[in-house]
């Protein structure tokens, strides 16, 4: 749920890169962020925080353009966190330091040991789902390794992981051709958040399943479509007007 809300915020930012913010947009953003917090997914909250910081703070220069608003917002957050009951709720339900990484280190260790069984499995993997079957036969209770990188290494080895790295580098280079600066910024920012989320969740691309399909659409298909948007000047009432079109 947290990852889905993260994706929905990205979609909303794509929408607002072409349309001005309205009062309904602000209401929807508030609902999205409230539901993100209530989902209590630490990975999704981290991914969204990285995405918003890079997009609004680095690219849109919100922190520099509106210093008073930034200081006021930080002050409000500081006052709220000073409330013991609120901080206790955040610590117990969101940070959850007592559970650490929820046993992921043990699951990751199991995945690495399976990938390192043989030289061949390290390079070409154990095959889709077969590595999970091996881990479950050895006592693992999960149906995934809770890390996109570990899952990829186990299923397809170094070769598949290298292919995906090259794929994302290719997409990043292609997106640079897009004439819509805001859309490019949304993609670059969201990709950082997604890659951070991938450390803690098995949110892969180019695979089967609902989650994998959504990720493929937002981090592979949409950016490739964006790369085909060109700027073309047309003559309108004696004035040059820029319009976007596809190759």
């Amino acid at each position: 749920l947290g990852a889905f809300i993260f994706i929905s915020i990205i979609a909303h930012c794509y929408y607002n890169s072409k349309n001005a913010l309205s009062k309904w947009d602000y209401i929807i953003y508030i609902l999205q962020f409230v539901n993100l917090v209530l989902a209590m997914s630490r990975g999704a909250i981290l991914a969204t925080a990285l995405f918003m910081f890079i997009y609004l703070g680095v690219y849109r220069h919100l922190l520099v353009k509106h210093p008073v608003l930034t200081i006021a917002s930080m002050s409000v957050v500081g006052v709220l966190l000073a409330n013991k009951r609120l901080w206790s709720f955040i610590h117990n339900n969101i940070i959850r330091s007592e559970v650490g990484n929820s046993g992921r280190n043990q699951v990751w260790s199991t995945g690495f040991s399976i990938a390192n069984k043989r030289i061949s499995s390290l390079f070409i993997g154990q095959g889709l789902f077969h590595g999970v079957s091996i881990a479950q036969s050895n006592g693992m209770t999960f149906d995934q390794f809770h890390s996109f990188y570990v899952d990829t290494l186990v299923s397809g080895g170094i070769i598949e992981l290298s292919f995906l790295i090259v794929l994302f580098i290719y997409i990043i280079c292609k997106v640079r051709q897009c004439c819509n600066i805001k859309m490019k910024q949304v993609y670059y920012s969201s990709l950082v958040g997604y890659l951070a989320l991938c450390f803690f969740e098995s949110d892969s691309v180019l695979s089967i399943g609902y989650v994998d399909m959504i990720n493929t659409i937002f981090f592979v298909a949409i950016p490739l479509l964006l790369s085909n948007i060109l700027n073309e000047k047309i003559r309108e009432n004696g004035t040059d007007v820029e319009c976007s079109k596809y190759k």
Side-chain angles (χ1 to χ4, degrees), residues 15-238:
Y15 172 79
N16 287 130
S17 67
K18 294 288 287 182
N19 300 275
L21 280 165
S22 67
K23 64 178 181 180
W24 293 111
D25 287 312
Y26 287 110
I27 293 171
I28 293 170
Y29 275 123
I30 290 172
L31 289 173
Q32 285 173 317
F33 283 107
V34 168
N35 280 281
L36 178 66
V37 173
L38 292 178
M40 298 179 186
S41 170
R42 293 177 295 178
I45 292 173
L46 173 63
T48 306
L50 285 173
F51 164 57
M52 298 305 295
F53 175 77
I54 295 173
Y55 179 59
L56 296 178
V58 177
Y59 283 127
R60 309 309 302 163
H61 307 294
L62 185 66
L63 301 179
V64 177
K65 289 181 180 178
H66 305 283
V68 176
L69 178 62
T70 302
I71 294 172
S73 300
M74 293 177 66
S75 300
V76 170
V77 172
V79 170
L80 291 175
L81 291 179
N83 184 293
K84 289 185 178 180
R85 292 183 63 183
L86 180 60
W87 172 248
S88 177
F89 173 83
I90 294 173
H91 183 271
N92 294 332
N93 296 283
I94 299 177
I95 298 176
R96 303 199 298 274
S97 59
E98 71 280 358
V99 299
N101 58 13
S102 302
R104 281 176 170 81
N105 56 337
Q106 185 176 354
V107 177
W108 295 341
S109 177
T110 301
F112 285 129
S113 64
I114 293 172
N116 284 320
K117 269 191 172 183
R118 296 187 301 272
I119 294 295
S120 60
S121 64
L122 180 62
F123 280 93
I124 63 174
Q126 294 282 354
L128 191 63
F129 302 129
H130 183 60
V132 174
S133 299
I134 295 174
Q136 289 177 334
S137 66
N138 291 327
M140 189 180 82
T141 57
F142 303 103
D143 59 357
Q144 56 188 0
F145 292 102
H146 283 285
S147 173
F148 165 62
Y149 307 108
V150 178
D151 269 299
T152 304
L153 191 64
V154 173
S155 64
I158 294 174
I159 292 177
E160 183 181 357
L161 187 59
S162 300
F163 166 77
L164 291 173
I165 292 172
V166 171
L167 173 65
F168 281 119
I169 293 173
Y170 170 76
I171 294 172
I172 290 170
C173 294
K174 288 286 288 182
V175 171
R176 292 180 61 186
Q177 301 173 15
C178 177
C179 69
N180 190 305
I181 296 175
K182 287 184 179 180
M183 282 189 171
K184 286 196 292 188
Q185 292 170 346
V186 171
Y187 174 68
Y188 291 143
S189 305
S190 65
L191 182 62
V192 173
Y194 167 69
L195 294 177
L197 178 63
C198 285
F199 276 103
F200 309 102
E201 301 295 344
S202 299
D203 287 2
S204 62
V205 295
L206 304 178
S207 186
I208 60 176
Y210 172 75
V211 174
D212 301 336
M213 183 61 68
I214 290 291
N215 289 330
T216 302
I217 291 171
F218 273 86
F219 301 109
V220 177
I222 287 180
L224 287 177
L225 287 173
L226 295 180
S227 68
N228 288 317
I229 299 178
L230 298 176
N231 237 10
E232 181 183 69
K233 286 189 177 181
I234 61 174
R235 199 76 177 168
E236 190 174 284
N237 297 327

